[in-house]
Amino acid sequence: PNAFTPNGNGNNDMFFIYGEYVNDFHVMVFDRWGNLIFESQDQAKGWDGKANNGKDVAQTDTYVYVVTYTEEYNNRKHKIIGHVNLIR
């Protein structure tokens, strides 16, 4: 998915990136100015639409994410760059 709506209604409130047989997972989300606003090395921890360590609510916008990971079974490293729309 490339959009989520963190409005607290219980539907589509978090942005998750996950996969199977993944090691060394790392996701970063950047705003349009290149500021890092979310980062995690835990696939179970999704982005809740907040910035600055949860202190500020991120605005409706398009954000860039960068995911790096290693395949468990062959140790191949991957880097994926994409975008996600935050809709309020």
PDB file of all heavy atoms in Angstrom, residues 25 72 83:
ATOM      1  N   PHE A  25      16.770  -5.783   9.151  1.00  0.00           N
ATOM      2  CA  PHE A  25      15.734  -4.879   8.640  1.00  0.00           C
ATOM      3  C   PHE A  25      15.963  -3.471   9.175  1.00  0.00           C
ATOM      4  O   PHE A  25      16.262  -3.267  10.349  1.00  0.00           O
ATOM      5  CB  PHE A  25      14.355  -5.395   9.088  1.00  0.00           C
ATOM      6  CG  PHE A  25      13.234  -4.480   8.743  1.00  0.00           C
ATOM      7  CD1 PHE A  25      12.649  -4.533   7.488  1.00  0.00           C
ATOM      8  CD2 PHE A  25      12.748  -3.581   9.672  1.00  0.00           C
ATOM      9  CE1 PHE A  25      11.599  -3.689   7.175  1.00  0.00           C
ATOM     10  CE2 PHE A  25      11.698  -2.737   9.368  1.00  0.00           C
ATOM     11  CZ  PHE A  25      11.118  -2.791   8.110  1.00  0.00           C
ATOM     12  N   GLU A  72      17.406 -13.879   4.584  1.00  0.00           N
ATOM     13  CA  GLU A  72      17.868 -14.840   5.581  1.00  0.00           C
ATOM     14  C   GLU A  72      18.579 -16.029   4.954  1.00  0.00           C
ATOM     15  O   GLU A  72      19.594 -16.498   5.453  1.00  0.00           O
ATOM     16  CB  GLU A  72      16.673 -15.320   6.403  1.00  0.00           C
ATOM     17  CG  GLU A  72      17.017 -16.274   7.494  1.00  0.00           C
ATOM     18  CD  GLU A  72      15.790 -16.640   8.294  1.00  0.00           C
ATOM     19  OE1 GLU A  72      15.299 -15.785   9.060  1.00  0.00           O
ATOM     20  OE2 GLU A  72      15.316 -17.784   8.123  1.00  0.00           O
ATOM     21  N   HIS A  83       7.472   5.548  -1.837  1.00  0.00           N
ATOM     22  CA  HIS A  83       6.779   6.675  -1.227  1.00  0.00           C
ATOM     23  C   HIS A  83       5.455   6.197  -0.626  1.00  0.00           C
ATOM     24  O   HIS A  83       4.899   5.181  -1.022  1.00  0.00           O
ATOM     25  CB  HIS A  83       6.516   7.780  -2.260  1.00  0.00           C
ATOM     26  CG  HIS A  83       5.517   7.402  -3.298  1.00  0.00           C
ATOM     27  ND1 HIS A  83       5.846   6.693  -4.431  1.00  0.00           N
ATOM     28  CD2 HIS A  83       4.191   7.626  -3.374  1.00  0.00           C
ATOM     29  CE1 HIS A  83       4.761   6.499  -5.153  1.00  0.00           C
ATOM     30  NE2 HIS A  83       3.737   7.052  -4.533  1.00  0.00           N
TER      31      HIS A  83
END
